[in-house]
């Protein structure tokens, strides 16, 4: 099952590695060490390699904020596996992207902080609709409470900046084409992730988080488009096409 943080494709991963890098990053795959360091905090157990690092204080602050916002009860500590980079992660897990594992309450990431993947764990306690909504809410929660920045961001810019940019460029994908999980995956994540994040942020700000949680409760990631639309109407009392129109009008004035 695929989850993505703020880097759903290799292009974005490469950008962040270039921009930020990792300490003492090995140059060849066989040099990658095991995750031999274990750091336990109030809500996390971090695992990372000797010479690498995590920002545990930031992660704890984010955790407290997100759990309070979502009003979920966390059943156990989160296992946070931090790798040097995607090659290291793939070598250790066989998967070449960051991901969350709700069944084991674990995240596997290349970042010293990770809000996106942790949100997948938190919202899994509510429900798991199709990837458009599941990834969208994770992007909508990409905030920085540690620095009192509660703006949802994608690659450093507010998610609505990307929604507006792609709308103006006529690059936004009609929601009808994204509602089913496999359809969402078929498009370029550079567009779909911030698009979903912008839509979800708009819906949460406009109609409240409780409404969205109700929608999550009855969702399934493999529901058909028709079922998703019926579920949406049952919660919001209007169609997702109507919601899309409102969101696009909002982007016009953003």
């Amino acid at each position: 099952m695929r989850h993505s943080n703020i880097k759903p494709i290799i292009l974005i991963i490469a950008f962040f590695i270039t921009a930020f890098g990792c300490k003492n990053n090995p140059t060849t795959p066989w040099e990658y060490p095991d995750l031999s360091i274990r750091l336990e905090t109030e809500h996390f157990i971090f695992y990372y390699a000797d010479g690498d690092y995590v920002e545990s204080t930031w992660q704890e602050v984010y955790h407290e904020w997100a759990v309070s916002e979502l009003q979920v009860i966390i059943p156990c500590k989160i296992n946070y596996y931090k790798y040097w980079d995607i090659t290291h992660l793939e070598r250790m897990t066989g998967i070449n992207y960051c991901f969350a594992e709700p069944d084991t309450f674990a995240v596997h990431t290349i970042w010293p902080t990770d809000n996106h993947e942790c949100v997948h764990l938190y919202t899994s306690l509510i429900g798991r609709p199709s990837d458009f909504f599941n990834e969208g809410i994770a992007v909508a929660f990409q905030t920085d409470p540690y620095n009192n920045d509660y703006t949802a961001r994608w690659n450093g810019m507010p998610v609505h900046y990307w929604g507006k940019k792609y709308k103006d460029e006529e690059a936004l994908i009609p929601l009808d084409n994204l509602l089913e999980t496999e359809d969402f995956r078929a498009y370029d994540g550079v567009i779909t992730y911030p698009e979903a994040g912008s839509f979800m942020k708009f819906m949460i700000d406009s109609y409240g988080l409780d409404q969205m949680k109700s929608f999550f409760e009855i969702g399934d990631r493999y529901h058909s488009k028709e079922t998703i639309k019926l579920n949406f109407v049952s919660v919001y009392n209007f169609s997702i096409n109507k919601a899309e129109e409102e969101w696009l009008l909002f982007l016009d004035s953003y």
Side-chain angles (χ1 to χ4, degrees):
M1 85 183 65
R2 177 168 183 169
H3 294 288
S4 176
N5 189 15
I6 59 172
K7 52 278 172 191
I9 64 170
I10 298 300
L11 175 62
I12 296 173
I13 293 166
F15 168 79
F16 274 90
I17 292 174
T18 301
F20 301 105
C22 292
K23 293 182 179 178
N24 303 319
N25 195 10
T27 57
T28 52
W30 55 84
E31 293 178 1
Y32 288 114
D34 292 333
L35 306 183
S36 59
I37 306 299
R38 182 182 187 275
L39 172 64
E40 186 166 352
T41 61
E42 184 176 359
H43 299 107
F44 292 85
I45 304 176
F46 297 92
Y47 302 90
Y48 53 99
D50 188 19
D52 202 356
Y53 73 105
V54 293
E55 296 182 16
S56 59
T57 302
W58 188 101
Q59 202 67 49
E60 284 285 350
V61 171
Y62 180 81
H63 175 91
E64 293 284 359
W65 174 81
V67 167
S68 176
E69 287 289 303
L70 291 165
Q71 291 295 294
V72 292
I73 298 174
I74 308 304
C76 59
K77 291 190 177 186
I78 295 170
N79 293 303
Y80 189 109
Y81 297 94
K82 162 65 169 73
Y83 306 89
W84 286 113
D85 54 26
I86 287 298
T87 303
H88 189 198
L89 188 155
E90 184 176 14
R91 174 177 176 246
M92 300 293 286
T93 69
I95 297 173
N96 65 352
Y97 46 79
C98 301
F99 63 99
E101 287 184 314
D103 291 343
T104 58
F105 235 63
V107 297
H108 298 263
T109 183
I110 64 173
W111 310 108
T113 66
D114 199 316
N115 41 27
H116 185 110
E117 298 304 338
C118 285
V119 170
H120 284 314
L121 299 183
Y122 306 148
T123 59
S124 72
L125 299 171
I126 303 168
R128 193 179 179 202
S130 67
D131 276 9
F132 174 80
F133 303 96
N134 197 45
E135 298 297 345
I137 200 169
V139 174
F141 268 71
Q142 286 180 187
T143 62
D144 184 2
Y146 182 82
N147 290 300
N148 295 312
D149 181 0
Y150 298 96
T151 300
R153 297 182 184 275
W154 173 268
N155 285 359
M157 298 298 292
V159 290
H160 295 318
Y161 163 86
W162 296 106
K164 170 72 169 174
K165 171 182 168 63
Y166 291 141
K167 183 179 187 300
D168 290 346
E169 295 173 354
E170 299 184 351
L172 285 179
I173 302 160
L175 297 196
D176 246 25
N177 297 348
L178 297 175
L179 296 182
E180 294 186 16
T181 290
E182 292 306 315
D183 289 342
F184 179 83
R185 290 180 170 189
Y187 287 92
D188 188 346
V190 169
I191 295 175
T192 57
Y193 277 72
E195 177 174 346
S198 177
F199 176 79
M200 292 292 280
K201 179 64 174 168
F202 168 78
M203 291 300 297
I204 291 169
D205 288 347
S206 299
Y207 296 98
L209 186 56
D210 286 344
Q211 292 260 72
M212 188 57 68
K213 288 173 65 177
S214 295
F215 177 74
F216 267 59
E217 287 173 356
I218 59 176
D220 183 277
R221 70 189 299 255
Y222 294 114
H223 271 162
S224 68
K225 182 189 303 183
E226 291 72 22
T227 299
I228 293 167
K229 287 184 171 184
L230 288 172
N231 286 346
F232 193 91
V233 171
S234 73
V235 171
Y236 287 97
N237 295 317
F238 55 85
S239 71
I240 195 165
N241 301 99
K242 174 65 174 174
E244 181 180 20
E245 291 175 6
E246 293 183 2
W247 168 59
L248 293 175
L249 285 173
F250 163 78
L251 291 180
D252 283 337
S253 62
Y254 179 73

